[in-house]
Every structure is written in structure tokens, then in C-alpha cells.
Amino acid sequence: MKQRKIPLRKSVVSGEMHPKKELVRITRSKEGVVAIDPTGKMPGRGAYVALDPEEVQTAWDKRVLDRVLEVSLDDAFYEELLEYVRHQKARRELFGNGK
């Protein structure tokens, strides 16, 4: 059986390549609205961050997403992102790497 190719993406915080399923996509629409994109299919400019709370905290401290997406994000967005990543990491630990 033929091995399927696993899509890789680069985390904007660490610069490391990871499988797409191990990252979360943050998008900026044409209107400048920034949102977490759990499906990875929303239109707009995208940036990937690893599903690791420490990496999200680093992005928050250094304001990496502000620079990459060329917007000014408030602390509430970073808090929401951190909570989302913690939740996803807990789900992976409970249910495995499935969904």
C-alpha cells in the first residue's frame, strides 16, 4: 500500500516544520479580522503555531503574530489562543492523535 504524504507547515514561533495536524492556523481576513482557524480552510492570510502552550506563551510575549499578520492583537486574543491550545493538547492526551 502506498504511503500518504503528510503535509508539513512551519511554525512562525519556533521556525520548525511540523505535520499540519500538530499546528493551529491563525487567519487574517481582508478586512483585518484575526481568528483561530481549527479547520485550516478559512480564507485569508494564515500563520501556524504549534499546539504547545509554551510556544503560544512565547508568541504572546514576543508579539510574533502581530508582526507576521501585520495587525495589532489584544491580550484577549492571545488568552483565547492559549486556552484553545491547552484544550486541544488535553484532548490529544486523552483520546490519542485521532481527532
Side-chain angles (χ1 to χ4, degrees):
M1 195 160 155
K2 190 175 180 183
Q3 194 83 11
R4 286 192 132 202
K5 182 180 172 191
I6 299 171
L8 296 175
R9 299 290 182 268
K10 186 185 281 192
S11 169
V12 294
V13 179
S14 65
E16 295 178 13
M17 298 294 280
H18 295 280
K20 193 174 174 182
K21 289 186 176 185
E22 294 178 12
L23 300 166
V24 61
R25 184 172 186 250
I26 293 50
T27 60
R28 177 183 50 90
S29 67
K30 289 181 181 178
E31 295 80 30
V33 178
V34 177
I36 298 171
D37 180 9
T39 63
K41 297 180 180 179
M42 288 174 63
R45 175 90 175 138
Y48 290 89
V49 178
L51 285 172
D52 179 18
E54 292 174 12
E55 192 162 311
V56 173
Q57 189 63 49
T58 303
W60 189 355
D61 295 340
K62 295 183 178 181
R63 296 289 191 184
V64 174
L65 293 173
D66 293 37
R67 247 189 343 254
V68 172
L69 297 175
E70 300 172 349
V71 293
S72 179
L73 297 171
D74 57 352
D75 289 342
F77 178 80
Y78 281 104
E79 287 175 22
E80 180 185 350
L81 178 61
L82 189 58
E83 198 56 43
Y84 176 81
V85 168
R86 285 184 181 143
H87 177 76
Q88 291 300 319
K89 187 173 182 178
R91 281 186 56 150
R92 285 179 179 263
E93 289 171 1
L94 278 175
F95 304 116
N97 269 350
K99 273 195 169 182

